[in-house]
mmCIF file of all heavy atoms in Angstrom:
data_model
loop_
_atom_site.group_PDB
_atom_site.id
_atom_site.type_symbol
_atom_site.label_atom_id
_atom_site.label_comp_id
_atom_site.label_asym_id
_atom_site.label_seq_id
_atom_site.Cartn_x
_atom_site.Cartn_y
_atom_site.Cartn_z
ATOM 1 N N MET A 1 -42.514 108.405 -79.542
ATOM 2 C CA MET A 1 -43.233 109.332 -78.697
ATOM 3 C C MET A 1 -44.140 110.173 -79.571
ATOM 4 O O MET A 1 -43.711 110.717 -80.570
ATOM 5 C CB MET A 1 -42.237 110.220 -77.951
ATOM 6 C CG MET A 1 -42.912 111.227 -77.057
ATOM 7 S SD MET A 1 -41.758 112.283 -76.146
ATOM 8 C CE MET A 1 -40.962 111.090 -75.106
ATOM 9 N N PRO A 2 -45.409 110.342 -79.215
ATOM 10 C CA PRO A 2 -46.321 111.137 -80.024
ATOM 11 C C PRO A 2 -45.953 112.618 -79.980
ATOM 12 O O PRO A 2 -45.416 113.117 -79.015
ATOM 13 C CB PRO A 2 -47.688 110.902 -79.390
ATOM 14 C CG PRO A 2 -47.464 110.169 -78.142
ATOM 15 C CD PRO A 2 -46.045 109.725 -78.083
ATOM 16 N N VAL A 3 -46.307 113.284 -81.061
ATOM 17 C CA VAL A 3 -46.064 114.722 -81.164
ATOM 18 C C VAL A 3 -47.253 115.443 -80.562
ATOM 19 O O VAL A 3 -48.394 115.092 -80.827
ATOM 20 C CB VAL A 3 -45.897 115.131 -82.644
ATOM 21 C CG1 VAL A 3 -45.728 116.629 -82.760
ATOM 22 C CG2 VAL A 3 -44.731 114.407 -83.262
ATOM 23 N N ALA A 4 -46.998 116.436 -79.748
ATOM 24 C CA ALA A 4 -48.074 117.202 -79.127
ATOM 25 C C ALA A 4 -48.862 117.939 -80.201
ATOM 26 O O ALA A 4 -48.291 118.528 -81.099
ATOM 27 C CB ALA A 4 -47.498 118.208 -78.135
ATOM 28 N N ALA A 5 -50.162 117.890 -80.091
ATOM 29 C CA ALA A 5 -51.019 118.580 -81.045
ATOM 30 C C ALA A 5 -50.938 120.074 -80.805
ATOM 31 O O ALA A 5 -50.936 120.529 -79.670
ATOM 32 C CB ALA A 5 -52.460 118.094 -80.893
ATOM 33 N N THR A 6 -50.887 120.822 -81.896
ATOM 34 C CA THR A 6 -50.843 122.269 -81.768
ATOM 35 C C THR A 6 -52.106 122.895 -82.325
ATOM 36 O O THR A 6 -52.232 124.103 -82.339
ATOM 37 C CB THR A 6 -49.619 122.852 -82.517
ATOM 38 O OG1 THR A 6 -49.703 122.461 -83.880
ATOM 39 C CG2 THR A 6 -48.330 122.367 -81.901
ATOM 40 N N ASP A 7 -53.054 122.092 -82.761
ATOM 41 C CA ASP A 7 -54.282 122.621 -83.317
ATOM 42 C C ASP A 7 -55.157 123.130 -82.178
ATOM 43 O O ASP A 7 -55.343 122.467 -81.175
ATOM 44 C CB ASP A 7 -55.020 121.537 -84.105
ATOM 45 C CG ASP A 7 -56.223 122.091 -84.817
ATOM 46 O OD1 ASP A 7 -56.101 123.170 -85.426
ATOM 47 O OD2 ASP A 7 -57.283 121.450 -84.759
ATOM 48 N N SER A 8 -55.672 124.329 -82.339
ATOM 49 C CA SER A 8 -56.479 124.931 -81.287
ATOM 50 C C SER A 8 -57.947 125.002 -81.688
ATOM 51 O O SER A 8 -58.625 125.962 -81.380
ATOM 52 C CB SER A 8 -55.929 126.313 -80.940
ATOM 53 O OG SER A 8 -55.871 127.108 -82.103
ATOM 54 N N GLY A 9 -58.414 123.990 -82.405
ATOM 55 C CA GLY A 9 -59.815 123.930 -82.778
ATOM 56 C C GLY A 9 -60.230 124.954 -83.801
ATOM 57 O O GLY A 9 -61.344 125.435 -83.785
ATOM 58 N N GLY A 10 -59.320 125.319 -84.690
ATOM 59 C CA GLY A 10 -59.650 126.259 -85.737
ATOM 60 C C GLY A 10 -59.240 127.683 -85.425
ATOM 61 O O GLY A 10 -59.188 128.517 -86.309
ATOM 62 N N ALA A 11 -58.974 127.979 -84.174
ATOM 63 C CA ALA A 11 -58.523 129.327 -83.826
ATOM 64 C C ALA A 11 -57.067 129.483 -84.225
ATOM 65 O O ALA A 11 -56.309 128.519 -84.255
ATOM 66 C CB ALA A 11 -58.677 129.548 -82.329
ATOM 67 N N ALA A 12 -56.683 130.699 -84.523
ATOM 68 C CA ALA A 12 -55.293 130.959 -84.892
ATOM 69 C C ALA A 12 -54.390 130.650 -83.701
ATOM 70 O O ALA A 12 -54.725 130.987 -82.571
ATOM 71 C CB ALA A 12 -55.128 132.409 -85.313
ATOM 72 N N PRO A 13 -53.278 129.987 -83.953
ATOM 73 C CA PRO A 13 -52.362 129.687 -82.853
ATOM 74 C C PRO A 13 -51.704 130.971 -82.370
ATOM 75 O O PRO A 13 -51.637 131.957 -83.106
ATOM 76 C CB PRO A 13 -51.332 128.749 -83.490
ATOM 77 C CG PRO A 13 -51.376 129.067 -84.932
ATOM 78 C CD PRO A 13 -52.784 129.497 -85.226
ATOM 79 N N PRO A 14 -51.249 130.962 -81.141
ATOM 80 C CA PRO A 14 -50.600 132.167 -80.625
ATOM 81 C C PRO A 14 -49.330 132.471 -81.406
ATOM 82 O O PRO A 14 -48.716 131.581 -81.992
ATOM 83 C CB PRO A 14 -50.280 131.803 -79.179
ATOM 84 C CG PRO A 14 -50.287 130.314 -79.139
ATOM 85 C CD PRO A 14 -51.243 129.864 -80.209
ATOM 86 N N ALA A 15 -48.944 133.733 -81.414
ATOM 87 C CA ALA A 15 -47.697 134.116 -82.072
ATOM 88 C C ALA A 15 -46.568 133.326 -81.450
ATOM 89 O O ALA A 15 -46.509 133.150 -80.243
ATOM 90 C CB ALA A 15 -47.465 135.606 -81.898
ATOM 91 N N GLY A 16 -45.686 132.828 -82.285
ATOM 92 C CA GLY A 16 -44.564 132.046 -81.782
ATOM 93 C C GLY A 16 -44.889 130.575 -81.571
ATOM 94 O O GLY A 16 -44.142 129.865 -80.919
ATOM 95 N N ALA A 17 -46.005 130.109 -82.115
ATOM 96 C CA ALA A 17 -46.379 128.710 -81.924
ATOM 97 C C ALA A 17 -45.305 127.773 -82.449
ATOM 98 O O ALA A 17 -44.988 126.765 -81.821
ATOM 99 C CB ALA A 17 -47.720 128.411 -82.590
ATOM 100 N N ALA A 18 -44.735 128.096 -83.595
ATOM 101 C CA ALA A 18 -43.683 127.247 -84.157
ATOM 102 C C ALA A 18 -42.482 127.226 -83.231
ATOM 103 O O ALA A 18 -41.870 126.181 -83.017
ATOM 104 C CB ALA A 18 -43.268 127.739 -85.542
ATOM 105 N N THR A 19 -42.159 128.362 -82.657
ATOM 106 C CA THR A 19 -41.027 128.436 -81.741
ATOM 107 C C THR A 19 -41.247 127.533 -80.545
ATOM 108 O O THR A 19 -40.341 126.819 -80.119
ATOM 109 C CB THR A 19 -40.804 129.889 -81.274
ATOM 110 O OG1 THR A 19 -40.625 130.707 -82.416
ATOM 111 C CG2 THR A 19 -39.608 129.999 -80.382
ATOM 112 N N SER A 20 -42.460 127.522 -79.993
ATOM 113 C CA SER A 20 -42.719 126.693 -78.829
ATOM 114 C C SER A 20 -42.684 125.208 -79.179
ATOM 115 O O SER A 20 -42.228 124.401 -78.378
ATOM 116 C CB SER A 20 -44.053 127.060 -78.185
ATOM 117 O OG SER A 20 -45.124 126.781 -79.054
ATOM 118 N N VAL A 21 -43.133 124.867 -80.374
ATOM 119 C CA VAL A 21 -43.122 123.466 -80.800
ATOM 120 C C VAL A 21 -41.686 122.988 -81.017
ATOM 121 O O VAL A 21 -41.325 121.872 -80.657
ATOM 122 C CB VAL A 21 -43.939 123.282 -82.105
ATOM 123 C CG1 VAL A 21 -43.722 121.910 -82.705
ATOM 124 C CG2 VAL A 21 -45.401 123.523 -81.839
ATOM 125 N N LEU A 22 -40.864 123.862 -81.583
ATOM 126 C CA LEU A 22 -39.493 123.485 -81.915
ATOM 127 C C LEU A 22 -38.505 123.736 -80.775
ATOM 128 O O LEU A 22 -37.363 123.294 -80.854
ATOM 129 C CB LEU A 22 -39.039 124.240 -83.167
ATOM 130 C CG LEU A 22 -39.902 124.025 -84.405
ATOM 131 C CD1 LEU A 22 -39.405 124.893 -85.550
ATOM 132 C CD2 LEU A 22 -39.944 122.569 -84.812
ATOM 133 N N ALA A 23 -38.932 124.404 -79.726
ATOM 134 C CA ALA A 23 -38.033 124.802 -78.645
ATOM 135 C C ALA A 23 -37.305 123.618 -78.013
ATOM 136 O O ALA A 23 -36.123 123.701 -77.743
ATOM 137 C CB ALA A 23 -38.799 125.572 -77.578
ATOM 138 N N GLY A 24 -37.959 122.526 -77.775
ATOM 139 C CA GLY A 24 -37.329 121.390 -77.115
ATOM 140 C C GLY A 24 -36.798 120.348 -78.070
ATOM 141 O O GLY A 24 -36.407 119.260 -77.647
ATOM 142 N N LEU A 25 -36.764 120.669 -79.346
ATOM 143 C CA LEU A 25 -36.366 119.689 -80.350
ATOM 144 C C LEU A 25 -34.957 119.163 -80.111
ATOM 145 O O LEU A 25 -34.691 117.983 -80.302
ATOM 146 C CB LEU A 25 -36.481 120.294 -81.745
ATOM 147 C CG LEU A 25 -36.439 119.309 -82.913
ATOM 148 C CD1 LEU A 25 -37.581 118.321 -82.826
ATOM 149 C CD2 LEU A 25 -36.482 120.050 -84.222
ATOM 150 N N ASP A 26 -34.075 120.029 -79.649
ATOM 151 C CA ASP A 26 -32.694 119.594 -79.424
ATOM 152 C C ASP A 26 -32.575 118.594 -78.282
ATOM 153 O O ASP A 26 -31.578 117.899 -78.163
ATOM 154 C CB ASP A 26 -31.778 120.795 -79.183
ATOM 155 C CG ASP A 26 -32.187 121.618 -77.983
ATOM 156 O OD1 ASP A 26 -33.379 121.571 -77.599
ATOM 157 O OD2 ASP A 26 -31.320 122.327 -77.433
ATOM 158 N N GLN A 27 -33.616 118.481 -77.463
ATOM 159 C CA GLN A 27 -33.609 117.526 -76.356
ATOM 160 C C GLN A 27 -34.249 116.187 -76.736
ATOM 161 O O GLN A 27 -34.209 115.246 -75.957
ATOM 162 C CB GLN A 27 -34.353 118.115 -75.151
ATOM 163 C CG GLN A 27 -33.764 119.407 -74.650
ATOM 164 C CD GLN A 27 -32.336 119.241 -74.171
ATOM 165 O OE1 GLN A 27 -32.012 118.280 -73.480
ATOM 166 N NE2 GLN A 27 -31.470 120.160 -74.559
ATOM 167 N N ARG A 28 -34.848 116.135 -77.929
ATOM 168 C CA ARG A 28 -35.529 114.921 -78.374
ATOM 169 C C ARG A 28 -34.602 114.110 -79.267
ATOM 170 O O ARG A 28 -33.721 114.660 -79.915
ATOM 171 C CB ARG A 28 -36.803 115.283 -79.137
ATOM 172 C CG ARG A 28 -37.791 116.038 -78.252
ATOM 173 C CD ARG A 28 -38.981 116.476 -79.013
ATOM 174 N NE ARG A 28 -39.889 115.339 -79.142
ATOM 175 C CZ ARG A 28 -41.156 115.447 -79.487
ATOM 176 N NH1 ARG A 28 -41.662 116.628 -79.774
ATOM 177 N NH2 ARG A 28 -41.918 114.387 -79.568
ATOM 178 N N PRO A 29 -34.817 112.804 -79.314
ATOM 179 C CA PRO A 29 -34.006 111.965 -80.204
ATOM 180 C C PRO A 29 -34.201 112.394 -81.662
ATOM 181 O O PRO A 29 -35.289 112.800 -82.066
ATOM 182 C CB PRO A 29 -34.572 110.559 -79.995
ATOM 183 C CG PRO A 29 -35.304 110.609 -78.699
ATOM 184 C CD PRO A 29 -35.777 112.022 -78.537
ATOM 185 N N VAL A 30 -33.135 112.306 -82.436
ATOM 186 C CA VAL A 30 -33.182 112.700 -83.844
ATOM 187 C C VAL A 30 -34.279 111.941 -84.583
ATOM 188 O O VAL A 30 -34.927 112.495 -85.475
ATOM 189 C CB VAL A 30 -31.807 112.479 -84.511
ATOM 190 C CG1 VAL A 30 -31.870 112.734 -86.005
ATOM 191 C CG2 VAL A 30 -30.762 113.389 -83.864
ATOM 192 N N ALA A 31 -34.539 110.715 -84.210
ATOM 193 C CA ALA A 31 -35.563 109.908 -84.875
ATOM 194 C C ALA A 31 -36.954 110.545 -84.755
ATOM 195 O O ALA A 31 -37.828 110.281 -85.574
ATOM 196 C CB ALA A 31 -35.593 108.502 -84.285
ATOM 197 N N GLU A 32 -37.166 111.409 -83.775
ATOM 198 C CA GLU A 32 -38.466 112.057 -83.585
ATOM 199 C C GLU A 32 -38.575 113.383 -84.342
ATOM 200 O O GLU A 32 -39.668 113.931 -84.477
ATOM 201 C CB GLU A 32 -38.708 112.318 -82.099
ATOM 202 C CG GLU A 32 -38.870 111.040 -81.301
ATOM 203 C CD GLU A 32 -39.095 111.315 -79.823
ATOM 204 O OE1 GLU A 32 -39.329 112.482 -79.448
ATOM 205 O OE2 GLU A 32 -39.037 110.361 -79.049
ATOM 206 N N HIS A 33 -37.484 113.908 -84.835
ATOM 207 C CA HIS A 33 -37.484 115.217 -85.487
ATOM 208 C C HIS A 33 -38.400 115.260 -86.709
ATOM 209 O O HIS A 33 -39.110 116.255 -86.910
ATOM 210 C CB HIS A 33 -36.067 115.621 -85.888
ATOM 211 C CG HIS A 33 -35.200 115.954 -84.717
ATOM 212 N ND1 HIS A 33 -34.007 116.622 -84.855
ATOM 213 C CD2 HIS A 33 -35.322 115.704 -83.387
ATOM 214 C CE1 HIS A 33 -33.446 116.781 -83.670
ATOM 215 N NE2 HIS A 33 -34.227 116.218 -82.764
ATOM 216 N N VAL A 34 -38.389 114.226 -87.511
ATOM 217 C CA VAL A 34 -39.213 114.224 -88.732
ATOM 218 C C VAL A 34 -40.687 114.393 -88.383
ATOM 219 O O VAL A 34 -41.383 115.200 -88.992
ATOM 220 C CB VAL A 34 -38.987 112.936 -89.559
ATOM 221 C CG1 VAL A 34 -39.983 112.854 -90.705
ATOM 222 C CG2 VAL A 34 -37.566 112.895 -90.082
ATOM 223 N N ALA A 35 -41.165 113.669 -87.389
ATOM 224 C CA ALA A 35 -42.574 113.770 -87.007
ATOM 225 C C ALA A 35 -42.914 115.176 -86.520
ATOM 226 O O ALA A 35 -43.985 115.705 -86.827
ATOM 227 C CB ALA A 35 -42.904 112.745 -85.931
ATOM 228 N N VAL A 36 -42.006 115.796 -85.785
ATOM 229 C CA VAL A 36 -42.230 117.153 -85.287
ATOM 230 C C VAL A 36 -42.296 118.129 -86.455
ATOM 231 O O VAL A 36 -43.203 118.965 -86.536
ATOM 232 C CB VAL A 36 -41.127 117.569 -84.291
ATOM 233 C CG1 VAL A 36 -41.252 119.038 -83.916
ATOM 234 C CG2 VAL A 36 -41.173 116.693 -83.046
ATOM 235 N N PHE A 37 -41.342 118.029 -87.379
ATOM 236 C CA PHE A 37 -41.338 118.926 -88.537
ATOM 237 C C PHE A 37 -42.556 118.705 -89.416
ATOM 238 O O PHE A 37 -43.145 119.668 -89.931
ATOM 239 C CB PHE A 37 -40.058 118.763 -89.356
ATOM 240 C CG PHE A 37 -38.850 119.394 -88.713
ATOM 241 C CD1 PHE A 37 -37.721 118.643 -88.466
ATOM 242 C CD2 PHE A 37 -38.843 120.727 -88.361
ATOM 243 C CE1 PHE A 37 -36.605 119.217 -87.882
ATOM 244 C CE2 PHE A 37 -37.734 121.314 -87.778
ATOM 245 C CZ PHE A 37 -36.610 120.560 -87.532
ATOM 246 N N GLU A 38 -42.966 117.465 -89.606
ATOM 247 C CA GLU A 38 -44.144 117.188 -90.429
ATOM 248 C C GLU A 38 -45.401 117.759 -89.789
ATOM 249 O O GLU A 38 -46.245 118.337 -90.479
ATOM 250 C CB GLU A 38 -44.299 115.690 -90.667
ATOM 251 C CG GLU A 38 -43.296 115.151 -91.663
ATOM 252 C CD GLU A 38 -43.393 113.648 -91.867
ATOM 253 O OE1 GLU A 38 -44.019 112.949 -91.040
ATOM 254 O OE2 GLU A 38 -42.827 113.173 -92.867
ATOM 255 N N ALA A 39 -45.532 117.627 -88.478
ATOM 256 C CA ALA A 39 -46.702 118.166 -87.788
ATOM 257 C C ALA A 39 -46.733 119.687 -87.902
ATOM 258 O O ALA A 39 -47.786 120.287 -88.140
ATOM 259 C CB ALA A 39 -46.694 117.737 -86.322
ATOM 260 N N GLU A 40 -45.584 120.325 -87.756
ATOM 261 C CA GLU A 40 -45.527 121.787 -87.872
ATOM 262 C C GLU A 40 -45.790 122.223 -89.309
ATOM 263 O O GLU A 40 -46.483 123.209 -89.553
ATOM 264 C CB GLU A 40 -44.185 122.308 -87.385
ATOM 265 C CG GLU A 40 -44.093 123.813 -87.356
ATOM 266 C CD GLU A 40 -45.146 124.500 -86.505
ATOM 267 O OE1 GLU A 40 -45.793 123.853 -85.658
ATOM 268 O OE2 GLU A 40 -45.335 125.715 -86.690
ATOM 269 N N HIS A 41 -45.288 121.482 -90.269
ATOM 270 C CA HIS A 41 -45.549 121.784 -91.681
ATOM 271 C C HIS A 41 -47.042 121.706 -91.973
ATOM 272 O O HIS A 41 -47.603 122.585 -92.632
ATOM 273 C CB HIS A 41 -44.768 120.798 -92.560
ATOM 274 C CG HIS A 41 -44.932 121.049 -94.014
ATOM 275 N ND1 HIS A 41 -45.728 120.256 -94.804
ATOM 276 C CD2 HIS A 41 -44.402 121.995 -94.826
ATOM 277 C CE1 HIS A 41 -45.691 120.714 -96.044
ATOM 278 N NE2 HIS A 41 -44.891 121.763 -96.088
ATOM 279 N N ASP A 42 -47.693 120.671 -91.467
ATOM 280 C CA ASP A 42 -49.141 120.532 -91.661
ATOM 281 C C ASP A 42 -49.887 121.710 -91.036
ATOM 282 O O ASP A 42 -50.820 122.252 -91.626
ATOM 283 C CB ASP A 42 -49.651 119.221 -91.062
ATOM 284 C CG ASP A 42 -49.199 118.003 -91.838
ATOM 285 O OD1 ASP A 42 -48.764 118.146 -92.997
ATOM 286 O OD2 ASP A 42 -49.272 116.901 -91.268
ATOM 287 N N ARG A 43 -49.482 122.118 -89.831
ATOM 288 C CA ARG A 43 -50.132 123.241 -89.163
ATOM 289 C C ARG A 43 -49.958 124.524 -89.974
ATOM 290 O O ARG A 43 -50.909 125.283 -90.179
ATOM 291 C CB ARG A 43 -49.564 123.446 -87.754
ATOM 292 C CG ARG A 43 -50.322 124.530 -86.964
ATOM 293 C CD ARG A 43 -49.616 124.891 -85.678
ATOM 294 N NE ARG A 43 -48.376 125.613 -85.903
ATOM 295 C CZ ARG A 43 -48.311 126.920 -86.226
ATOM 296 N NH1 ARG A 43 -49.407 127.630 -86.368
ATOM 297 N NH2 ARG A 43 -47.141 127.496 -86.412
ATOM 298 N N LEU A 44 -48.755 124.744 -90.474
ATOM 299 C CA LEU A 44 -48.496 125.941 -91.261
ATOM 300 C C LEU A 44 -49.298 125.940 -92.563
ATOM 301 O O LEU A 44 -49.810 126.981 -92.987
ATOM 302 C CB LEU A 44 -47.004 126.079 -91.550
ATOM 303 C CG LEU A 44 -46.144 126.415 -90.327
ATOM 304 C CD1 LEU A 44 -44.670 126.278 -90.668
ATOM 305 C CD2 LEU A 44 -46.474 127.793 -89.798
ATOM 306 N N GLN A 45 -49.424 124.782 -93.194
ATOM 307 C CA GLN A 45 -50.236 124.704 -94.412
ATOM 308 C C GLN A 45 -51.688 125.049 -94.120
ATOM 309 O O GLN A 45 -52.327 125.752 -94.907
ATOM 310 C CB GLN A 45 -50.144 123.311 -95.028
ATOM 311 C CG GLN A 45 -48.841 123.060 -95.736
ATOM 312 C CD GLN A 45 -48.826 121.715 -96.432
ATOM 313 O OE1 GLN A 45 -49.202 120.702 -95.845
ATOM 314 N NE2 GLN A 45 -48.385 121.709 -97.668
ATOM 315 N N ARG A 46 -52.222 124.561 -92.990
ATOM 316 C CA ARG A 46 -53.603 124.897 -92.622
ATOM 317 C C ARG A 46 -53.748 126.400 -92.405
ATOM 318 O O ARG A 46 -54.719 127.007 -92.842
ATOM 319 C CB ARG A 46 -54.032 124.138 -91.360
ATOM 320 C CG ARG A 46 -54.309 122.671 -91.583
ATOM 321 C CD ARG A 46 -54.974 122.021 -90.372
ATOM 322 N NE ARG A 46 -54.259 122.228 -89.124
ATOM 323 C CZ ARG A 46 -53.278 121.456 -88.660
ATOM 324 N NH1 ARG A 46 -52.880 120.403 -89.360
ATOM 325 N NH2 ARG A 46 -52.691 121.731 -87.514
ATOM 326 N N GLU A 47 -52.781 127.001 -91.724
ATOM 327 C CA GLU A 47 -52.834 128.435 -91.480
ATOM 328 C C GLU A 47 -52.759 129.221 -92.772
ATOM 329 O O GLU A 47 -53.492 130.182 -92.968
ATOM 330 C CB GLU A 47 -51.706 128.859 -90.531
ATOM 331 C CG GLU A 47 -51.879 128.374 -89.112
ATOM 332 C CD GLU A 47 -53.182 128.905 -88.494
ATOM 333 O OE1 GLU A 47 -53.467 130.108 -88.625
ATOM 334 O OE2 GLU A 47 -53.890 128.099 -87.895
ATOM 335 N N LEU A 48 -51.859 128.824 -93.653
ATOM 336 C CA LEU A 48 -51.725 129.537 -94.929
ATOM 337 C C LEU A 48 -52.976 129.387 -95.786
ATOM 338 O O LEU A 48 -53.330 130.296 -96.532
ATOM 339 C CB LEU A 48 -50.498 129.038 -95.687
ATOM 340 C CG LEU A 48 -49.158 129.487 -95.087
ATOM 341 C CD1 LEU A 48 -48.005 128.765 -95.788
ATOM 342 C CD2 LEU A 48 -48.990 130.984 -95.189
ATOM 343 N N ALA A 49 -53.645 128.263 -95.682
ATOM 344 C CA ALA A 49 -54.871 128.039 -96.457
ATOM 345 C C ALA A 49 -55.988 128.989 -96.022
ATOM 346 O O ALA A 49 -56.897 129.274 -96.800
ATOM 347 C CB ALA A 49 -55.327 126.597 -96.315
ATOM 348 N N THR A 50 -55.903 129.514 -94.813
ATOM 349 C CA THR A 50 -56.938 130.420 -94.332
ATOM 350 C C THR A 50 -56.747 131.846 -94.837
ATOM 351 O O THR A 50 -57.649 132.667 -94.707
ATOM 352 C CB THR A 50 -57.002 130.442 -92.790
ATOM 353 O OG1 THR A 50 -55.793 130.989 -92.273
ATOM 354 C CG2 THR A 50 -57.235 129.051 -92.225
ATOM 355 N N ILE A 51 -55.586 132.161 -95.387
ATOM 356 C CA ILE A 51 -55.328 133.513 -95.854
ATOM 357 C C ILE A 51 -56.343 133.938 -96.911
ATOM 358 O O ILE A 51 -56.815 135.068 -96.903
ATOM 359 C CB ILE A 51 -53.888 133.633 -96.401
ATOM 360 C CG1 ILE A 51 -52.902 133.543 -95.253
ATOM 361 C CG2 ILE A 51 -53.705 134.921 -97.172
ATOM 362 C CD1 ILE A 51 -51.452 133.489 -95.684
ATOM 363 N N ASP A 52 -56.695 133.044 -97.805
ATOM 364 C CA ASP A 52 -57.637 133.375 -98.865
ATOM 365 C C ASP A 52 -59.041 133.627 -98.323
ATOM 366 O O ASP A 52 -59.864 134.236 -98.990
ATOM 367 C CB ASP A 52 -57.705 132.248 -99.905
ATOM 368 C CG ASP A 52 -56.410 132.143 -100.695
ATOM 369 O OD1 ASP A 52 -55.695 133.165 -100.804
ATOM 370 O OD2 ASP A 52 -56.117 131.063 -101.206
ATOM 371 N N GLN A 53 -59.309 133.179 -97.116
ATOM 372 C CA GLN A 53 -60.639 133.348 -96.524
ATOM 373 C C GLN A 53 -60.794 134.677 -95.798
ATOM 374 O O GLN A 53 -61.864 135.022 -95.363
ATOM 375 C CB GLN A 53 -60.922 132.195 -95.557
ATOM 376 C CG GLN A 53 -60.909 130.849 -96.235
ATOM 377 C CD GLN A 53 -60.966 129.714 -95.243
ATOM 378 O OE1 GLN A 53 -61.117 129.919 -94.054
ATOM 379 N NE2 GLN A 53 -60.830 128.496 -95.742
ATOM 380 N N LEU A 54 -59.728 135.429 -95.690
ATOM 381 C CA LEU A 54 -59.794 136.720 -94.982
ATOM 382 C C LEU A 54 -60.414 137.788 -95.837
ATOM 383 O O LEU A 54 -60.392 137.873 -96.971
ATOM 384 C CB LEU A 54 -58.399 137.168 -94.531
ATOM 385 C CG LEU A 54 -57.744 136.258 -93.508
ATOM 386 C CD1 LEU A 54 -56.335 136.756 -93.210
ATOM 387 C CD2 LEU A 54 -58.548 136.236 -92.218
#
């Protein structure tokens, strides 16, 4: 099953974005957890990379 995209076109995600992405994780098969965590890790890295631009 594909992981829902959380990228908002460069805009900062709403507060709690990680919580919303991970909220239903316990209902998903364990085999899908890695993809969810990797997608969230990538999103967080993009967000952290913007700190230097502030």
Side-chain angles (χ1 to χ4, degrees):
M1 179 179 295
V3 177
T6 58
D7 186 45
S8 56
T19 303
S20 65
V21 169
L22 302 176
L25 195 61
D26 60 336
Q27 301 298 316
R28 298 176 80 164
V30 174
E32 293 179 11
H33 290 195
V34 172
V36 172
F37 285 124
E38 286 177 344
E40 185 57 17
H41 182 255
D42 290 343
R43 186 190 70 77
L44 290 170
Q45 285 185 313
R46 286 191 307 273
E47 290 300 314
L48 288 171
T50 65
I51 290 173
D52 291 334
Q53 299 171 6
L54 296 176

